[in-house]
Amino acid sequence: AQSVSQHNHHVILSEAASLELGCNYSYGGTVNLFWYVQYPGQHLQLLLKYFSGDPLVKGIKGFEAEFIKSKFSFNLRKPSVQWSDTAEYFCAVKGGAGSYQLTFGKGTKLSVIP
Amino acid sequence: NAGVTQTPKFQVLKTGQSMTLQCAQDMNHEYMSWYRQDPGMGLRLIHYSVGAGITDQGEVPNGYNVSRSTTEDFPLRLLSAAPSQTSVYFCASSSLAGVEEGEQFFGPGTRLTVL
């Protein structure tokens, strides 16, 4: 069974600080990896995804994530956060082609202080 | 397009009562799913469907039933509500190609409290 581990439950940053949210996964085969964001009072939106190729993927709003296969990690980064990035961030993993079950991590709440 | 709609938005039940959470989508998506979101637990998959007449269990199916008689609708039934089912429930849909890409469209959620 696949599982996802997010190391930080709540991260508090000042505006312009750099962000890195950790994500490790456990899965025995080919994986597809995702980061989702949930802004306060809203539902989940896809931030970025990794399927294959370049392990550094870029998403919306200046976010990027790096897939490190040897470490089973898919950490999310942003060089300079804004107050509007305050949200909850979820890492998710799915098996390869033909797999439809998406397994989410427990989420990391990010609070950005103006 | 209305996208993914869920009703009701809020519901309070007593232990042992049954109810159905409604989910509908107007995007002709084959794939539909139900998740529950609990504080500190992330989203957990309850049931999913890859087309009319086809359903399968997710990570936490106990206490819930689903059926998929049409492409548009995917209701979630609580047979005998328990306090442990207090949660926010999200329905999501996607094309089969889209779910491969992680492009699930989420509904606004139903906040359920079981007393």
Side-chain angles (χ1 to χ4, degrees):
Chain A
Q2 54 211 36
S3 66
V4 179
S5 207
Q6 292 184 242
H7 314 301
N8 309 102
H9 177 62
H10 191 185
V11 173
I12 303 171
L13 295 173
S14 299
E15 274 193 316
S18 64
L19 169 72
E20 180 159 4
L21 301 182
C23 171
N24 285 90
Y25 68 92
S26 169
Y27 188 72
T30 303
V31 292
N32 304 141
L33 295 157
F34 310 89
W35 276 97
Y36 288 83
V37 60
Q38 186 176 30
Y39 296 103
Q42 297 187 26
H43 44 85
L44 266 72
Q45 304 171 42
L46 181 64
L47 202 54
L48 50 77
K49 59 191 175 187
Y50 172 78
F51 275 61
S52 62
D54 189 345
L56 186 63
V57 293
K58 295 190 184 299
I60 59 172
K61 304 187 181 185
F63 286 91
E64 65 179 30
E66 185 175 13
F67 170 57
I68 303 179
K69 189 175 181 179
S70 60
K71 295 184 178 180
F72 298 90
S73 70
F74 190 56
N75 292 355
L76 181 71
R77 300 196 292 248
K78 186 171 184 179
S80 175
V81 294
Q82 301 172 319
W83 176 78
S84 58
D85 293 324
T86 295
E88 192 157 15
Y89 293 82
F90 296 93
C91 183
V93 63
K94 188 181 75 65
S99 170
Y100 299 115
Q101 292 202 44
L102 200 59
T103 299
F104 286 86
K106 295 183 177 181
T108 297
K109 188 169 290 189
L110 172 67
S111 299
V112 180
I113 302 168
Chain B
N1 281 357
V4 180
T5 58
Q6 291 183 237
T7 55
K9 289 187 178 179
F10 301 94
Q11 183 70 50
V12 179
L13 292 177
K14 293 181 181 178
T15 297
Q17 287 185 312
S18 63
M19 81 158 293
T20 300
L21 307 186
Q22 301 291 344
C23 174
Q25 51 92 9
D26 60 359
M27 297 173 280
N28 203 31
H29 285 162
E30 303 98 328
Y31 179 89
M32 295 185 75
S33 57
W34 277 101
Y35 294 87
R36 59 178 290 173
Q37 183 178 27
D38 303 294
M41 297 294 291
L43 273 78
R44 293 180 290 170
L45 182 65
I46 304 172
H47 286 285
Y48 67 98
S49 167
V50 296
I54 306 168
T55 63
D56 206 346
Q57 296 180 352
E59 182 185 353
V60 289
N62 292 343
Y64 307 95
N65 271 2
V66 292
S67 60
R68 185 97 179 269
S69 55
T70 66
T71 299
E72 294 77 21
D73 300 298
F74 191 45
L76 178 73
R77 296 182 189 84
L78 280 70
L79 307 172
S80 177
S84 60
Q85 294 179 304
T86 293
S87 187
V88 180
Y89 292 84
F90 288 99
C91 179
S93 78
S94 178
S95 64
L96 288 183
V99 76
E100 295 276 9
E101 298 282 321
E103 293 281 0
Q104 293 194 52
F105 294 82
F106 285 83
T110 294
R111 187 174 294 273
L112 175 68
T113 302
V114 183
L115 302 175

